[in-house]
């Protein structure tokens, strides 16, 4: 295959765009994003080699300026020694023991949400209530990630959420615009609003960070781990390696973890409830599992790992409705991966929803909801062990995946103990790409306390 930077580029890739017998696209194809060529791949082995590479030849693609304003230039956009430094500092905040401690707080917030739903149902004669459960899960996960990052300052964290929500609107309005050199500096109405929100977001984060710095009390939350970062010795080379973060770097990491930490888990819970509403037999299976393990007692953080069928449902939800729609990498030099030649600087796009429904990998029922496929774990669910791409793979896999799964399990377990839920007749199924995969019109469900169902 010719280098896709040659004059034969477009015809070469378009000619090789082949459809398999089951309708899945298997060969890469080229398209253009303004002046930048992008190659979209569908092959799992290509994706594995690219995402698992430790050579440094594949890096994150250049992020859109409005996206960086929203989530900052934190861990997700770093490369090389900076990425290693940040990852080493942040890793201790996501150990299983610390996450289990956070789960107690997650359950407290979930109890408050359940109490609010119970109050609403008690006010209705029929003993049930219709709610947009997506909104409830969004508010819940904002509380959780605020506490996980900021500890006792989590209320200020909710103001951070509002500023990021406003910035997201601008991001989505401009995300498909090709960046024009110099345009981001012009005082357009959109730019002025973006600058104002950036200043507000930075100011709010400083209000949280600076008092902690002044007091010298770091705390056990993610912010505390970053504030406690210090100089450590590289045992391999005997050199002093700077493992500290600047104020600016801490602000960027707070932006990234705050946005990703609430958005992805809220959507995982939302789409899980959607699927359990249209497959009530699985809702009942999970309820029986939860009641078998915990009865009417609050879920025990140390026993959440016993909820095997719930894990199966959550993984299947991530397969069908992954919050992230694609991953991107960029080559730093001319590369050959398999039989595909990639020139320096080309962006590589890995489309998660298409690959997650590839029948050659997932079977003829790839378009169907079948949690049973995960009965023996993620690696045995598909014909390749790395079939589930929702948390990426390799060294850049999602650092917060255990946090997200524990939060989803504890919240869903509590919901199943207390309520049954069905889709409202008003629901319109319209998944939409708003930076992540969201239900366009929310998720209205009918919530009924279990004591009313019996």
């Amino acid at each position: 295959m010719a280098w896709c930077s040659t004059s034969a580029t477009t015809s070469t890739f378009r000619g090789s765009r082949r459809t398999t017998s089951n309708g899945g696209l298997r060969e890469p194809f080229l398209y253009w994003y303004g002046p930048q060529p992008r190659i979209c791949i569908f092959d799992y082995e290509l994706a594995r080699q690219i995402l698992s590479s430790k050579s440094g030849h594949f890096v994150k693609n250049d992020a859109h300026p409005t996206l960086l304003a929203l989530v900052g230039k934190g861990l997700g956009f770093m490369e090389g020694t900076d990425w290693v430094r940040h990852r080493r500092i942040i890793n201790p905040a996501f150990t299983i023991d610390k996450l289990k401690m956070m789960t107690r707080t997650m359950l407290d917030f979930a109890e408050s949400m359940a109490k609010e739903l119970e109050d609403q149902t008690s006010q209705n004669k029929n003993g049930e209530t219709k709610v947009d459960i997506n909104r409830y899960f969004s508010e819940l996960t904002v509380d959780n990630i605020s506490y996980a990052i900021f500890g006792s300052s989590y209320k200020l964290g909710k103001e951070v959420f509002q500023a990021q929500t406003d910035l997201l609107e601008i991001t989505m309005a401009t995300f498909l615009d090709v960046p024009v050199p110099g345009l981001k500096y012009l005082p357009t109405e959109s730019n002025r609003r973006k600058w104002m929100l950036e200043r507000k977001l930075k100011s709010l984060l400083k209000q949280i960070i600076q008092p902690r710095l002044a007091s010298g009390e770091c705390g056990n939350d993610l912010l505390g781990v970053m504030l406690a970062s210090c100089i450590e010795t590289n045992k391999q080379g005997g050199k002093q390696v700077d493992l500290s973060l600047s104020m600016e770097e801490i602000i960027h990491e707070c932006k990234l973890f705050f946005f990703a930490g609430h958005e992805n888990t809220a959507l995982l819970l939302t789409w899980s409830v959607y699927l359990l509403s249209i497959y009530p037999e699985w809702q009942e299976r999970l309820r029986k599992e939860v009641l078998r393990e915990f009865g009417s007692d609050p879920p025990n953080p140390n026993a959440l790992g016993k909820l095997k069928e719930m894990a199966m449902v959550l993984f299947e939800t991530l397969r069908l409705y992954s919050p992230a729609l694609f991953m991107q990498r960029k080559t730093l030099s001319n590369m050959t991966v398999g039989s595909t030649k990639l020139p320096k600087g080309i962006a590589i796009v890995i489309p998660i929803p298409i690959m997650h429904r590839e029948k050659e990998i997932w079977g003829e029922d790839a378009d169907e909801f079948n949690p049973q496929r995960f009965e023996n774990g993620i690696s045995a669910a598909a014909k390749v062990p790395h079939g589930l791409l929702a948390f990426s793979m390799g060294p850049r896999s999602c650092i917060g995946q255990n946090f997200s799964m524990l939060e989803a399990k504890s919240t869903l377990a509590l919901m199943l103990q207390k309520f049954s839920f069905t889709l409202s007749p008003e629901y319109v199924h319209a998944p939409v790409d708003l930076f992540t995969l969201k239900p366009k019109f929310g998720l209205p469900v009918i919530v009924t306390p279990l004591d009313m169902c019996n």
Side-chain angles (χ1 to χ4, degrees), residues 33 35-38 58-68 72-73 76-79 175 177 179 326-332 344-349 435:
Y33 179 75
Q36 183 190 45
R38 292 184 175 182
F58 298 100
V59 298
K60 288 294 188 78
N61 193 27
D62 300 330
H64 196 285
T66 55
L67 175 61
L68 291 178
K73 302 173 186 177
F77 298 96
M78 289 186 164
E79 301 293 342
F175 197 64
D177 295 346
F326 58 85
M327 292 177 282
Q328 290 190 42
R329 295 293 186 269
K330 183 176 69 172
T331 55
L332 290 182
K344 176 182 178 180
I346 193 169
I348 304 158
V349 178
F435 188 61

Side-chain angles (χ1 to χ4, degrees), residues 331-352:
T331 55
L332 290 182
S333 59
N334 293 340
M335 296 286 297
T336 299
V337 182
S339 61
T340 304
K341 294 182 178 181
L342 302 170
K344 176 182 178 180
I346 193 169
I348 304 158
V349 178
I350 302 171
I352 296 174

Side-chain angles (χ1 to χ4, degrees), residues 106-158:
M106 294 175 187
L107 285 166
D108 288 341
F109 286 128
E111 285 277 10
S112 297
M113 181 189 74
K115 179 66 167 60
E116 185 176 343
L117 290 172
E118 287 171 339
D119 290 344
Q120 285 197 38
T121 59
S122 66
Q123 294 172 13
N124 298 330
K125 291 181 180 180
N126 60 3
E128 59 186 30
T129 186
K130 183 187 75 176
V131 297
D132 178 2
I133 203 68
N134 180 55
R135 181 179 65 81
Y136 276 80
F137 285 148
S138 181
E139 292 175 357
L140 172 72
T141 54
V142 166
D143 283 336
N144 281 328
I145 198 63
S146 295
Y147 192 87
I149 298 177
F150 305 124
S152 60
S153 302
Y154 81 94
K155 289 185 179 179
L156 265 177
K158 296 184 76 169

Side-chain angles (χ1 to χ4, degrees), residues 160-354:
V160 172
F161 163 70
Q162 188 55 55
Q164 280 193 319
T165 300
D166 293 342
L167 262 174
L168 178 60
E169 293 180 12
I170 297 175
T171 299
M172 292 314 304
T174 61
F175 197 64
L176 293 180
D177 295 346
V178 176
V180 177
L183 184 62
K184 65 180 181 180
Y185 302 109
L186 296 179
T188 63
E189 182 179 351
S190 176
N191 278 346
R192 289 199 305 272
R193 178 161 170 73
K194 180 169 77 75
W195 297 336
M196 181 272 291
L197 288 169
E198 283 185 275
R199 288 193 299 269
K200 180 179 180 180
L201 191 53
K202 188 172 184 177
S203 173
L204 286 168
L205 290 170
K206 282 187 173 182
Q207 287 180 54
I208 297 170
I209 295 168
Q210 287 176 335
R212 294 270 288 274
L213 275 175
S215 69
E217 297 178 5
C218 295
N220 292 318
D221 48 39
L222 176 58
L223 177 57
V225 169
M226 291 191 286
L227 292 175
S229 59
C230 58
I231 303 296
E232 292 188 359
T233 302
N234 182 335
K235 296 179 181 179
Q236 294 181 350
K239 299 177 181 179
Q240 293 292 321
V241 179
D242 185 359
L243 287 183
S244 61
L245 297 178
S246 68
M247 169 69 81
E248 198 68 21
E249 287 175 319
I250 290 174
I251 287 174
H252 284 301
E253 294 295 359
C254 286
K255 283 184 183 181
L256 175 63
F257 280 96
F258 194 86
F259 182 83
H262 82 78
E263 181 87 348
N264 292 342
T265 311
L267 290 171
L268 172 55
L269 284 165
T270 295
W271 291 119
S272 295
V273 166
Y274 163 72
L275 289 167
L276 292 176
S277 295
I278 60 176
Y279 294 94
E281 66 276 16
W282 274 98
Q283 182 179 155
E284 190 55 33
R285 282 180 68 163
L286 294 201
R287 182 172 293 109
K288 287 179 179 178
E289 182 182 52
V290 170
L291 294 176
R292 183 171 63 248
E293 294 297 335
F294 306 122
S296 59
D297 296 330
N300 183 342
N302 295 313
L304 288 172
K306 295 181 180 180
L307 301 178
K308 301 298 184 183
E309 291 191 320
M310 181 177 290
M312 289 158 51
V313 166
L314 291 174
F315 290 142
E316 181 72 342
T317 301
L318 286 169
R319 185 184 73 85
L320 292 172
Y321 294 97
S322 174
L325 295 172
F326 58 85
M327 292 177 282
Q328 290 190 42
R329 295 293 186 269
K330 183 176 69 172
T331 55
L332 290 182
S333 59
N334 293 340
M335 296 286 297
T336 299
V337 182
S339 61
T340 304
K341 294 182 178 181
L342 302 170
K344 176 182 178 180
I346 193 169
I348 304 158
V349 178
I350 302 171
I352 296 174
I354 295 175

